[in-house]
Coordinates of all heavy atoms in Angstrom, one line a residue:
Chain A
L922 N -198.0 57.7 84.4 CA -198.7 58.9 84.2 C -198.9 59.2 82.8 O -199.8 59.8 82.5 CB -198.1 60.0 85.0 CG -198.1 59.9 86.5 CD1 -197.3 61.1 87.1 CD2 -199.4 59.8 87.1
Y923 N -197.9 58.7 82.0 CA -198.0 59.1 80.5 C -198.7 58.0 79.8 O -198.4 56.9 80.0 CB -196.5 59.1 80.2 CG -195.7 60.2 80.8 CD1 -195.1 60.1 81.8 CD2 -195.6 61.5 80.1 CE1 -194.4 61.0 82.6 CE2 -194.8 62.5 80.8 CZ -194.3 62.2 82.0 OH -193.5 63.3 82.5
H924 N -199.6 58.4 78.9 CA -200.4 57.5 78.1 C -200.4 58.0 76.6 O -200.5 59.1 76.4 CB -201.9 57.3 78.6 CG -202.0 56.7 80.0 ND1 -202.1 55.4 80.2 CD2 -201.8 57.4 81.3 CE1 -202.2 55.2 81.5 NE2 -201.9 56.2 82.1
V925 N -200.5 56.9 75.6 CA -200.8 57.1 74.2 C -202.3 57.1 74.2 O -202.9 56.2 74.5 CB -200.1 56.0 73.4 CG1 -200.4 56.5 72.0 CG2 -198.7 56.0 73.7
E926 N -202.9 58.2 73.6 CA -204.2 58.3 73.4 C -204.7 57.9 72.0 O -205.8 57.3 71.8 CB -204.9 59.5 73.8 CG -204.8 59.8 75.3 CD -206.1 60.7 75.8 OE1 -206.6 61.6 75.0 OE2 -206.6 60.4 76.7
D927 N -203.9 58.4 71.1 CA -204.3 58.1 69.7 C -203.0 58.3 68.7 O -202.1 59.0 69.2 CB -205.4 59.1 69.2 CG -206.0 58.7 67.9 OD1 -205.9 57.7 67.5 OD2 -206.7 59.6 67.4
V928 N -203.0 57.6 67.7 CA -201.9 57.7 66.8 C -202.4 57.5 65.3 O -203.5 57.1 65.1 CB -200.8 56.6 66.9 CG1 -200.0 56.7 68.2 CG2 -201.4 55.2 66.7
A929 N -201.6 58.2 64.5 CA -201.9 58.1 63.0 C -200.5 58.2 62.3 O -199.5 58.3 63.1 CB -202.8 59.2 62.5
H930 N -200.4 58.0 61.1 CA -199.2 58.2 60.4 C -198.7 59.6 60.6 O -199.3 60.6 60.5 CB -199.5 58.1 58.8 CG -198.2 58.1 58.1 ND1 -197.0 57.3 58.2 CD2 -197.8 59.0 57.1 CE1 -196.2 57.6 57.4 NE2 -196.5 58.7 56.8
R931 N -197.6 59.8 61.3 CA -196.8 61.0 61.6 C -197.6 61.8 62.8 O -197.4 63.1 62.9 CB -196.7 61.9 60.4 CG -195.8 61.3 59.2 CD -195.8 62.0 58.0 NE -195.1 63.2 58.1 CZ -194.4 63.9 57.1 NH1 -194.5 63.4 55.8 NH2 -193.8 65.0 57.4
F932 N -198.3 61.1 63.5 CA -199.1 61.9 64.6 C -199.3 61.0 65.9 O -199.4 59.8 65.8 CB -200.6 62.2 64.1 CG -201.5 62.7 65.0 CD1 -201.4 64.1 65.5 CD2 -202.3 61.9 65.7 CE1 -202.3 64.7 66.4 CE2 -203.1 62.5 66.8 CZ -203.1 63.8 67.1
A933 N -199.2 61.8 67.0 CA -199.6 61.0 68.3 C -200.2 62.0 69.2 O -199.8 63.2 69.2 CB -198.3 60.4 69.0
R934 N -201.3 61.6 69.9 CA -201.9 62.4 71.1 C -201.6 61.7 72.3 O -201.8 60.5 72.4 CB -203.3 62.6 70.8 CG -203.8 63.6 71.7 CD -205.2 64.1 71.5 NE -206.2 63.0 71.9 CZ -207.0 62.6 70.9 NH1 -207.0 62.9 69.7 NH2 -207.8 61.5 71.2
M935 N -201.0 62.3 73.2 CA -200.6 61.9 74.4 C -201.3 62.6 75.7 O -201.7 63.6 75.5 CB -199.0 62.1 74.6 CG -198.1 61.7 73.6 SD -198.0 59.9 73.5 CE -197.0 59.7 75.0
R936 N -201.3 61.9 76.8 CA -201.9 62.4 77.9 C -201.0 62.1 79.1 O -200.4 60.9 79.2 CB -203.3 61.7 78.3 CG -204.0 62.2 79.6 CD -205.3 61.6 79.9 NE -206.3 61.8 78.9 CZ -207.2 62.9 79.0 NH1 -207.2 63.6 80.2 NH2 -208.0 63.2 77.9
C937 N -200.7 63.2 79.9 CA -200.0 63.0 81.2 C -201.0 63.2 82.3 O -201.5 64.4 82.4 CB -198.8 64.1 81.2 SG -198.0 63.9 82.7
R938 N -201.2 62.3 83.1 CA -202.4 62.4 84.2 C -201.8 63.3 85.3 O -200.6 63.3 85.5 CB -202.6 61.0 84.8 CG -203.4 60.2 83.8 CD -204.2 59.1 84.5 NE -204.8 58.2 83.5 CZ -205.7 58.6 82.6 NH1 -206.4 59.8 82.7 NH2 -206.2 57.7 81.7
Y939 N -202.7 64.1 85.8 CA -202.3 65.0 86.8 C -202.0 64.2 88.0 O -202.7 63.3 88.5 CB -203.4 65.9 87.2 CG -203.1 66.9 88.3 CD1 -202.2 67.8 88.3 CD2 -203.9 66.6 89.6 CE1 -201.9 68.5 89.5 CE2 -203.6 67.4 90.7 CZ -202.6 68.3 90.6 OH -202.4 69.1 91.6
D940 N -200.9 64.5 88.8 CA -200.5 63.8 90.1 C -199.8 65.0 90.9 O -198.8 65.6 90.4 CB -199.5 62.8 89.6 CG -198.9 62.1 90.9 OD1 -199.6 61.3 91.5 OD2 -197.9 62.4 91.5
P941 N -200.3 65.1 92.1 CA -199.8 66.2 93.0 C -198.2 66.1 93.1 O -197.5 67.1 93.3 CB -200.4 66.0 94.3 CG -201.8 65.3 93.9 CD -201.4 64.5 92.8
G942 N -197.6 64.8 92.9 CA -196.1 64.7 93.1 C -195.4 65.4 92.0 O -194.3 65.6 92.3
Q943 N -196.0 65.8 91.0 CA -195.2 66.5 89.9 C -195.1 68.0 90.2 O -194.5 68.6 89.6 CB -196.0 66.5 88.5 CG -196.1 65.0 88.0 CD -197.1 65.1 86.8 OE1 -198.1 65.8 87.0 NE2 -196.9 64.3 85.8
L944 N -195.9 68.4 91.3 CA -196.0 69.9 91.4 C -194.7 70.5 91.9 O -194.0 70.0 92.7 CB -197.1 70.1 92.4 CG -198.6 69.8 91.9 CD1 -199.6 70.3 92.8 CD2 -198.8 70.6 90.7
R945 N -194.5 71.7 91.3 CA -193.5 72.6 91.9 C -194.3 73.6 92.7 O -195.4 73.7 92.8 CB -192.8 73.4 90.7 CG -192.0 72.6 89.8 CD -190.7 72.4 90.7 NE -189.9 71.4 89.9 CZ -189.0 71.7 88.8 NH1 -189.1 72.9 88.5 NH2 -188.3 70.8 88.4
P946 N -193.3 74.4 93.5 CA -194.0 75.3 94.4 C -194.7 76.4 93.6 O -194.4 76.7 92.4 CB -192.7 76.2 95.0 CG -191.7 75.3 94.8 CD -191.9 74.3 93.6
G947 N -196.0 76.7 94.2 CA -196.8 77.5 93.3 C -197.8 76.6 92.6 O -198.8 77.3 92.0
G948 N -197.8 75.3 92.8 CA -198.8 74.5 92.2 C -198.6 74.2 90.7 O -199.5 73.5 90.0
T949 N -197.5 74.6 90.1 CA -197.4 74.4 88.7 C -196.8 73.0 88.3 O -196.0 72.4 89.2 CB -196.6 75.4 88.0 OG1 -196.8 75.4 86.6 CG2 -195.0 75.3 88.3
I950 N -197.1 72.4 87.2 CA -196.6 71.2 86.7 C -195.1 71.5 86.2 O -194.9 72.5 85.6 CB -197.4 70.5 85.7 CG1 -198.8 70.1 86.3 CG2 -196.7 69.3 85.1 CD1 -199.8 69.6 85.4
S951 N -194.2 70.6 86.7 CA -192.7 71.0 86.3 C -192.4 70.9 84.9 O -193.0 70.3 84.0 CB -191.8 69.8 87.1 OG -191.8 68.6 86.3
G952 N -191.5 71.7 84.4 CA -191.0 71.6 83.2 C -190.5 70.4 82.7 O -190.9 69.9 81.5
P953 N -189.7 69.7 83.4 CA -189.3 68.4 83.0 C -190.5 67.4 82.6 O -190.4 66.5 81.7 CB -188.5 67.7 84.1 CG -187.8 69.0 84.8 CD -188.9 70.0 84.6
T954 N -191.6 67.5 83.4 CA -192.7 66.7 83.1 C -193.3 67.0 81.6 O -193.5 66.1 80.8 CB -193.9 67.0 84.1 OG1 -193.5 66.5 85.4 CG2 -195.2 66.3 83.7
M955 N -193.3 68.3 81.4 CA -193.6 68.8 79.9 C -192.8 68.3 78.9 O -193.0 67.9 77.7 CB -194.0 70.2 79.9 CG -195.2 70.5 80.8 SD -195.8 72.3 80.5 CE -194.7 73.0 81.9
M956 N -191.4 68.4 79.2 CA -190.4 68.1 78.2 C -190.4 66.5 78.0 O -190.4 66.1 76.8 CB -189.1 68.5 78.8 CG -188.8 70.0 78.7 SD -187.2 70.5 79.1 CE -187.2 70.5 80.9
T957 N -190.6 65.7 79.2 CA -190.8 64.4 78.8 C -192.1 64.0 78.0 O -191.9 63.1 77.1 CB -190.9 63.6 80.2 OG1 -189.7 63.9 81.0 CG2 -191.0 62.1 80.1
L958 N -193.0 64.7 78.2 CA -194.3 64.4 77.5 C -194.1 64.8 75.9 O -194.5 64.1 75.1 CB -195.5 65.3 78.0 CG -196.8 65.2 77.4 CD1 -197.3 63.7 77.6 CD2 -197.8 66.2 78.0
A959 N -193.4 65.9 75.7 CA -193.1 66.3 74.3 C -192.1 65.2 73.5 O -192.4 64.8 72.5 CB -192.5 67.7 74.3
D960 N -191.1 65.0 74.4 CA -190.1 64.0 73.8 C -190.7 62.6 73.5 O -190.6 62.1 72.5 CB -189.0 63.9 74.7 CG -187.7 63.2 74.2 OD1 -187.5 63.0 72.9 OD2 -186.9 62.7 75.0
T961 N -191.5 62.1 74.4 CA -191.9 60.7 74.4 C -193.1 60.8 73.2 O -193.2 59.9 72.4 CB -192.5 60.1 75.6 OG1 -193.4 61.1 76.2 CG2 -191.4 59.9 76.7
G962 N -193.9 61.8 73.1 CA -194.8 61.9 72.2 C -194.3 62.0 70.7 O -194.9 61.3 69.8
L963 N -193.2 62.8 70.5 CA -192.7 62.6 69.1 C -192.1 61.2 68.9 O -192.2 60.8 67.7 CB -191.6 63.7 68.9 CG -192.1 65.2 69.0 CD1 -191.0 66.3 69.0 CD2 -192.9 65.3 67.6
Y964 N -191.5 60.7 69.9 CA -191.0 59.4 69.7 C -192.1 58.3 69.3 O -191.9 57.5 68.5 CB -190.3 58.8 71.0 CG -189.5 57.6 71.0 CD1 -188.4 57.5 70.3 CD2 -190.1 56.4 71.6 CE1 -187.7 56.3 70.4 CE2 -189.4 55.2 71.7 CZ -188.2 55.1 71.0 OH -187.6 54.0 71.0
V965 N -193.3 58.4 69.9 CA -194.4 57.6 69.7 C -194.8 57.9 68.2 O -195.2 57.0 67.5 CB -195.5 57.9 70.6 CG1 -196.9 57.2 70.2 CG2 -195.2 57.3 72.0
A966 N -194.8 59.2 67.8 CA -195.3 59.5 66.4 C -194.3 58.8 65.4 O -194.8 58.4 64.3 CB -195.3 61.0 66.2
I967 N -193.1 58.9 65.6 CA -192.1 58.1 64.8 C -192.4 56.7 64.8 O -192.5 56.1 63.7 CB -190.7 58.5 65.3 CG1 -190.3 59.9 65.1 CG2 -189.6 57.6 64.4 CD1 -189.0 60.4 65.7
L968 N -192.5 56.0 66.0 CA -192.8 54.6 66.0 C -194.0 54.3 65.2 O -194.1 53.2 64.5 CB -192.9 54.1 67.5 CG -191.7 54.0 68.4 CD1 -192.1 53.8 69.8 CD2 -190.8 53.0 67.8
A969 N -195.0 55.1 65.4 CA -196.4 54.9 64.6 C -196.2 55.0 63.2 O -196.9 54.3 62.4 CB -197.4 55.9 65.2
S970 N -195.1 55.7 62.7 CA -194.9 55.9 61.3 C -193.9 54.9 60.6 O -194.1 54.5 59.5 CB -194.5 57.4 61.0 OG -195.3 58.3 61.6
I971 N -192.9 54.5 61.4 CA -192.0 53.5 60.8 C -191.9 52.3 61.5 O -191.2 51.3 61.0 CB -190.6 54.2 60.7 CG1 -190.0 54.4 62.2 CG2 -190.6 55.6 60.0 CD1 -188.6 54.8 62.1
G972 N -192.6 52.0 62.6 CA -192.6 50.8 63.2 C -191.4 50.7 64.2 O -190.6 51.6 64.1
P973 N -191.4 49.6 64.9 CA -190.3 49.5 66.0 C -189.0 49.0 65.5 O -188.4 48.1 65.9 CB -190.8 48.5 67.1 CG -191.7 47.6 66.2 CD -192.3 48.5 65.1
V974 N -188.6 49.6 64.3 CA -187.3 49.1 63.6 C -186.2 50.1 63.9 O -186.1 51.2 63.1 CB -187.6 48.9 62.1 CG1 -188.3 47.6 62.0 CG2 -188.4 50.0 61.6
G975 N -185.5 49.9 64.8 CA -184.4 50.8 65.1 C -184.8 52.0 66.0 O -185.7 52.6 65.7
L976 N -184.1 52.2 67.0 CA -184.5 53.2 67.9 C -184.1 54.7 67.5 O -182.9 54.9 67.3 CB -184.0 52.9 69.3 CG -184.6 51.7 69.9 CD1 -184.2 51.5 71.3 CD2 -186.3 51.8 70.0
A977 N -185.1 55.5 67.4 CA -184.6 57.0 67.0 C -184.0 57.5 68.3 O -184.4 57.2 69.5 CB -185.9 57.7 66.6
V978 N -183.1 58.4 68.2 CA -182.4 59.1 69.2 C -182.8 60.7 69.2 O -182.6 61.2 68.1 CB -180.8 59.0 69.2 CG1 -180.1 59.7 70.2 CG2 -180.6 57.4 69.3
T979 N -183.2 61.2 70.3 CA -183.4 62.6 70.2 C -182.0 63.3 70.2 O -181.1 63.1 70.9 CB -184.0 63.1 71.7 OG1 -185.1 62.3 71.9 CG2 -184.6 64.5 71.5
T980 N -182.0 64.4 69.1 CA -180.8 65.2 69.0 C -181.0 66.6 69.3 O -180.1 67.2 69.8 CB -180.2 65.1 67.6 OG1 -181.3 65.6 66.6 CG2 -179.7 63.6 67.1
N981 N -182.2 67.0 69.3 CA -182.6 68.4 69.8 C -184.2 68.5 70.4 O -184.9 67.7 69.8 CB -182.5 69.3 68.5 CG -183.0 70.8 69.0 OD1 -184.1 71.1 68.8 ND2 -182.0 71.5 69.5
L982 N -184.2 69.1 71.4 CA -185.5 69.4 71.9 C -185.6 70.9 72.3 O -184.8 71.3 73.1 CB -185.9 68.5 73.1 CG -187.3 68.5 73.5 CD1 -188.2 67.9 72.5 CD2 -187.5 67.8 74.9
N983 N -186.5 71.6 71.7 CA -186.7 73.0 71.8 C -188.0 73.3 72.6 O -189.1 72.9 71.8 CB -186.4 73.8 70.7 CG -186.6 75.3 70.9 OD1 -186.0 75.8 71.8 ND2 -187.3 76.1 70.0
V984 N -188.1 73.8 73.7 CA -189.4 74.0 74.3 C -189.7 75.4 74.8 O -188.9 76.0 75.3 CB -189.6 73.0 75.6 CG1 -191.0 73.2 76.2 CG2 -189.1 71.6 75.4
N985 N -190.8 75.9 74.4 CA -191.2 77.2 74.8 C -192.4 77.0 75.9 O -193.4 76.4 75.5 CB -191.8 78.0 73.7 CG -190.7 78.6 72.7 OD1 -189.8 79.3 73.1 ND2 -190.8 78.1 71.5
F986 N -192.2 77.5 76.9 CA -193.2 77.3 78.1 C -194.0 78.7 78.0 O -193.5 79.8 78.3 CB -192.4 77.3 79.5 CG -191.5 76.1 79.5 CD1 -190.2 76.3 79.2 CD2 -192.1 74.8 79.8 CE1 -189.3 75.1 79.3 CE2 -191.3 73.7 79.8 CZ -189.9 73.8 79.6
L987 N -195.3 78.6 77.8 CA -196.2 79.6 77.5 C -197.0 80.2 78.6 O -197.3 81.3 78.6 CB -197.0 79.3 76.3 CG -196.4 78.7 75.1 CD1 -197.3 78.2 74.0 CD2 -195.3 79.7 74.5
K988 N -197.5 79.3 79.4 CA -198.2 79.7 80.5 C -198.3 78.7 81.6 O -197.9 77.5 81.3 CB -199.6 80.2 80.3 CG -200.7 79.1 79.9 CD -202.0 79.7 79.9 CE -203.1 78.6 80.0 NZ -204.3 79.0 80.0

Side-chain angles (χ1 to χ4, degrees):
Chain A
L922 298 175
Y923 296 86
H924 292 268
V925 182
E926 288 216 323
D927 193 14
V928 292
H930 185 64
R931 299 174 67 156
F932 173 80
R934 188 171 68 243
M935 307 289 290
R936 176 181 296 267
C937 179
R938 293 207 186 285
Y939 173 69
D940 177 79
Q943 297 167 327
L944 289 187
R945 285 289 172 80
T949 194
I950 295 173
S951 76
T954 296
M955 290 185 274
M956 292 188 280
T957 300
L958 184 62
D960 188 23
T961 54
L963 288 172
Y964 185 75
V965 167
I967 294 170
L968 288 172
S970 303
I971 66 174
V974 283
L976 292 183
V978 175
T979 311
T980 57
N981 176 264
L982 193 67
N983 182 43
V984 186
N985 286 299
F986 300 98
L987 304 175
K988 72 170 197 173

